[in-house]
Amino acid sequence: MTDFDALDVIVVGGGGAGLAAAVSAAEQGAQVALFESERELGGSTQLSAGMFTAAGTSVQRGLGVEDTAERHFQHYMDLNQWRLKPGLIRAFCAAAGPTLEWLLGLGLDVPAAVSPDAHTPGLCRAGVEDVWRGHVPRDQGYGLVRVLDRARRERGVEVVLGTRVERLLSEDGRVVGVVADGIEVRAGAVVVASGGFAQHPELLDRYYPEARAAGEALFVVAAPGSRGDHVAFAEQTGSALTGHGWGLMLPTASFQRYHHWQAGFPPKSRVYVNGAGRRFMDEDASYAVSSGIILAQDGPVWAVFDERARQGLPVGYADWTPERVAEEARAGRVLRAGSLPELAAAMDVPANALTATVARWNDRLAATGADPEFLREESLAAKGSPQPPDPIAAGPFYAVRVLPAELVCTHTGLEIDHDAAVLDRTGTPVPGLFAAGEAGGGVLGMRYVGGGNAVANALTMGRIAGRGAARGR
């Protein structure tokens, strides 16, 4: 491991939060070193779409969208039922827009163009906000990490790859460095940006058991380094943890094993029905709210579609393809029947309810393009697919179990204040210790506000943490 002398700031973790912290600390004149447990930088940010949620940005203004940080704050707090600290969230929302502008200044490219999804560069609907705030960069998360890494190199921040920090050093109640590979490395302040714990089953059991409730359907798309090192750091320093029981689980098919970029997408012509055999939601509702809607239903939730929809699935994906659905049906993991009453029997739902549900679908949304109950036409239009879906009429018919089973990120982290300073169990800042991203708790709440929430949290609070660490060195 490289020898370091006279370090001002050590950053633990080289994902988006860590890179933002390292770059911003270096911009304040601090001597910075970054320790990353894996063999490359990027973490979960690199695996993401790179979408960044922010308000009052130049990208929005370029499209004639009027928005403010205060409006963002109000929406954020309302969606989380005001169970987050208003001061912290106000600081986050106020800094998110300037952080995006900072990234644009570093070379990030987010065109002032309307985007129908999380993969097309531009501005898209992130969640259930009334003003679009999802900023999608070119080259997505990979491009975002490359921009930050270039800035890191230009500012002389050294990186130690493949080196996991074992513990934090404390003297007289102040954090003064880290221990890595058995070697003490001292600094004026430490920023913990080591990610969440999605890859640590025992920590999931302790802090986010809802994820484990998905059983065999559970799969994880977070980076391999998401092992929850910040939990041990909390124990070592007497720091508080917050956000217990919160995280992001995306609704998926029970047979799905990959993120939708690789898995593909269910057919447009589908209805979600609950244990009563009735439709209960907009099938294209944002994942900011859809998992909660699904979990609130009695009995299992099913996606129902027909043979025409199955055959219309595009090839080339890992899960949602005509062949894969047929294979799952032959194996009995997807239900298939020649008629809707027969399918209802296999689903153990009332046949009259299921047939009435499908009939309403065919008579309304499929026939007229209007969905007076759940307003799905609005979601389809926002996704660039305004044409009415096909009717569900051509047997055989299929039913696929749908449940929150794709674990993206965890929200239990070191409790931080509006300066990203870590708090102890009395609510007092721990001198010399800052945190950001999934390792910093209190910004990501009970409801994920929409696409780009985690990336915006990581980079915005990472930038705030880096600045704070540089000042407090």
Side-chain angles (χ1 to χ4, degrees), residues 25-107:
E27 288 178 341
Q28 302 300 309
Q31 295 295 311
V32 185
L34 186 154
F35 289 78
E36 167 56 45
S37 64
E38 306 308 298
R39 292 294 178 183
E40 65 175 349
L41 298 173
S44 293
T45 301
Q46 182 164 260
L47 303 178
S48 75
M51 190 194 299
F52 189 109
T53 304
T57 70
S58 59
V59 176
Q60 289 176 313
R61 290 191 294 273
L63 290 169
V65 176
E66 295 183 4
D67 195 14
T68 65
E70 186 63 27
R71 191 171 177 179
H72 187 194
F73 163 75
Q74 187 70 42
H75 172 69
Y76 204 107
M77 291 299 293
D78 288 348
L79 196 59
N80 280 283
Q81 299 179 16
W82 285 76
R83 293 174 63 182
L84 302 175
K85 288 184 179 178
L88 172 58
I89 303 306
R90 188 187 295 276
F92 163 67
C93 292
T99 297
L100 181 72
E101 302 301 331
W102 174 68
L103 292 166
L104 295 174
L106 294 177

Side-chain angles (χ1 to χ4, degrees), residues 247-398:
L248 176 59
M249 297 281 290
L250 300 187
T252 65
S254 58
F255 63 83
Q256 192 169 325
R257 287 297 178 270
Y258 296 93
H259 188 56
H260 61 258
W261 297 359
Q262 299 168 274
F265 300 87
K268 179 177 177 178
S269 296
R270 71 192 189 283
V271 291
Y272 288 172
V273 301
N274 56 23
R278 296 184 59 178
R279 186 171 176 233
F280 60 92
M281 69 178 291
D282 166 10
E283 290 79 6
D284 286 291
S286 167
Y287 58 76
V289 295
S290 55
S291 287
I293 298 170
I294 289 170
L295 290 172
Q297 303 307 304
D298 291 329
V301 167
W302 303 91
V304 174
F305 52 94
D306 68 3
E307 178 67 7
R308 179 180 180 182
R310 182 191 72 84
Q311 292 183 358
L313 289 168
V315 298
Y317 289 103
D319 293 317
W320 279 106
T321 66
E323 297 77 14
R324 178 67 190 281
V325 172
E327 175 188 333
E328 293 294 315
R330 287 191 294 270
R333 292 183 291 267
V334 167
L335 304 181
R336 178 171 56 188
S339 69
L340 287 173
E342 291 174 312
L343 186 68
M347 297 164 61
D348 193 26
V349 303
N352 59 346
L354 181 62
T355 55
T357 291
V358 173
R360 278 193 297 273
W361 166 274
N362 293 338
D363 292 342
R364 294 179 182 176
L365 187 57
T368 69
D371 182 15
E373 288 185 292
F374 300 105
L375 308 180
R376 188 181 175 199
E377 72 274 15
E378 297 183 8
S379 295
L380 289 173
K383 292 183 176 183
S385 182
Q387 300 80 14
D390 294 326
I392 300 172
F397 299 92
Y398 298 84

Side-chain angles (χ1 to χ4, degrees), residues 41-171:
L41 298 173
S44 293
T45 301
Q46 182 164 260
L47 303 178
S48 75
M51 190 194 299
F52 189 109
T53 304
T57 70
S58 59
V59 176
Q60 289 176 313
R61 290 191 294 273
L63 290 169
V65 176
E66 295 183 4
D67 195 14
T68 65
E70 186 63 27
R71 191 171 177 179
H72 187 194
F73 163 75
Q74 187 70 42
H75 172 69
Y76 204 107
M77 291 299 293
D78 288 348
L79 196 59
N80 280 283
Q81 299 179 16
W82 285 76
R83 293 174 63 182
L84 302 175
K85 288 184 179 178
L88 172 58
I89 303 306
R90 188 187 295 276
F92 163 67
C93 292
T99 297
L100 181 72
E101 302 301 331
W102 174 68
L103 292 166
L104 295 174
L106 294 177
L108 189 69
D109 185 6
V110 182
V114 174
S115 168
D117 52 49
H119 313 291
T120 303
L123 186 72
C124 74
R125 185 174 71 170
V128 293
E129 72 274 18
D130 62 339
V131 174
W132 289 13
R133 298 190 175 108
H135 297 72
V136 184
R138 295 194 192 279
D139 300 323
Q140 305 197 340
Y142 177 83
L144 182 51
V145 167
R146 297 285 76 77
V147 165
L148 284 168
D149 191 36
R150 182 176 65 243
R152 186 271 308 169
R153 293 193 304 271
E154 291 171 350
R155 287 155 181 78
V157 175
E158 292 219 43
V159 168
V160 183
L161 295 173
T163 302
R164 189 174 180 185
V165 169
E166 300 153 23
R167 62 185 177 89
L168 303 184
L169 287 174
S170 296
E171 290 180 359

